[in-house]
Amino acid sequence: MNARPAKSETSPSRLSIVPGATPGVEAALRIEEFKDHVNQLWEETDDLLNRYHPANSAEWFELSERLHHATWRLGSATYCLNEWIEPADERPSVDEAPGPSPGRRAVFAWDQEPKQESGGSA
C-alpha cells in the first residue's frame, strides 16, 4: 500500500515552491514566512491594544480570523516539518489526531484566505 498522503491533503491551491515537493520540504521552505506573518499579526494586536481610541469589535473579530489562520498554518507547517513521520509502505499514513479543520496535513490550505464567519443573532 502506498504510504503517501491522500491527494486532498497535499494538493496545492497554488503552485508549490518546488513542484512535487513533499509536505516536509514545502514546510521547510516556508516556515520562516509563516513565523514572520504571525509576528506581524502580534504587532497589529499590540497596536490595537495601545490605540488612543479603542478598536471596535469588528476590527477585533477580523484580526482574530487572521490570527487563527496564521497560527493554524504555522502549526501545520511545524507538524509537516518535525512530526509527520512517514510510515513503511505497507501501512497507510493516517493522521489519528488531525487537529482543527482542515487538519494539520492540509498543505493545500496554506494559501487559502481565512474564512470570514458571519455573526449570529443575539
Side-chain angles (χ1 to χ4, degrees), residues 32-50 59-74 110 112-114 116:
E32 291 303 317
E33 167 195 346
F34 298 163
K35 287 178 182 179
D36 288 345
H37 188 230
V38 170
N39 190 49
Q40 289 170 359
L41 292 172
W42 280 121
E43 289 175 5
E44 252 184 82
T45 302
D46 189 53
D47 290 346
L48 285 180
L49 285 169
N50 293 305
E59 290 173 290
W60 284 117
F61 291 127
E62 189 273 332
L63 179 61
S64 76
E65 292 299 319
R66 292 187 296 132
L67 269 168
H68 180 264
H69 179 71
T71 55
W72 167 82
R73 186 169 68 166
L74 181 56
W110 287 356
Q112 292 178 351
E113 292 297 316
Q116 294 297 322

Side-chain angles (χ1 to χ4, degrees), residues 17-18 25 27 34 53-54 56 71 86 90 97 102:
I17 290 175
V18 178
V25 169
F34 298 163
H53 295 288
N56 64 42
T71 55
E86 189 69 29
E90 54 276 353

